Structures are given as C-alpha cells and as structure tokens.
Amino acid sequence: MGWNADHMGWWPMVWGWFFLALIVLGIVVLVVALVRLLGDRPQQPRARTADRSRAREVLDERYARGEIDTAEYEERRHRLENEI
C-alpha cells in the first residue's frame, strides 16, 4: 500500500481555497490603499489655490488702501500668479 493523492482527503482543496481567498483579499486591500493614497492628492492643490486667492485678496486690499504703489502691486501679483 502506497501513499497517493487519494489518501490525502479534502485538505489540499481546503488549503487551495484558503490561499485563493488570501490572494483576493490582498488585491482588494492593495486597491483600496491605492485609491485612498491617490484620492487625497487633488485636495492639496485646492488648499494652495485657496491660500493664493486669500493672498491675492490681501494684496488687492493693500493696494486699494494705498499702502503699496502700482509697481509693488504688479510685482507681487506677478509672483503670486507664477508661484508653483
């Protein structure tokens, strides 16, 4: 009497399904992590845009009050628009 696959029972099938489930779960976790990581990136430029628009408002207010002259206003506005 030799040992062959017929005597192993159903355990190889159970382990096969178990490892398949682990692989699928790993892929799902990876996709969720990538979506969260890449999904957060667009919010950073929006925050910078909001900061720039507020800076532009302050600059416009200072110019309107006469605190800075036209040359300084144009230079600072140009810097704000070209800032990355």
Side-chain angles (χ1 to χ4, degrees), residues 62-80:
R62 289 187 65 200
Y63 180 66
R65 287 192 299 254
E67 293 177 11
I68 56 175
D69 61 356
T70 304
E72 186 176 354
Y73 172 79
E74 292 294 331
E75 177 187 346
R76 290 182 184 209
R77 185 177 57 88
H78 179 70
R79 278 194 218 163
L80 283 173

Side-chain angles (χ1 to χ4, degrees), residues 50-63:
D51 290 343
R52 282 192 208 144
S53 64
R54 178 66 186 134
R56 176 69 188 267
E57 288 176 19
V58 170
L59 182 64
D60 291 342
E61 290 171 4
R62 289 187 65 200
Y63 180 66

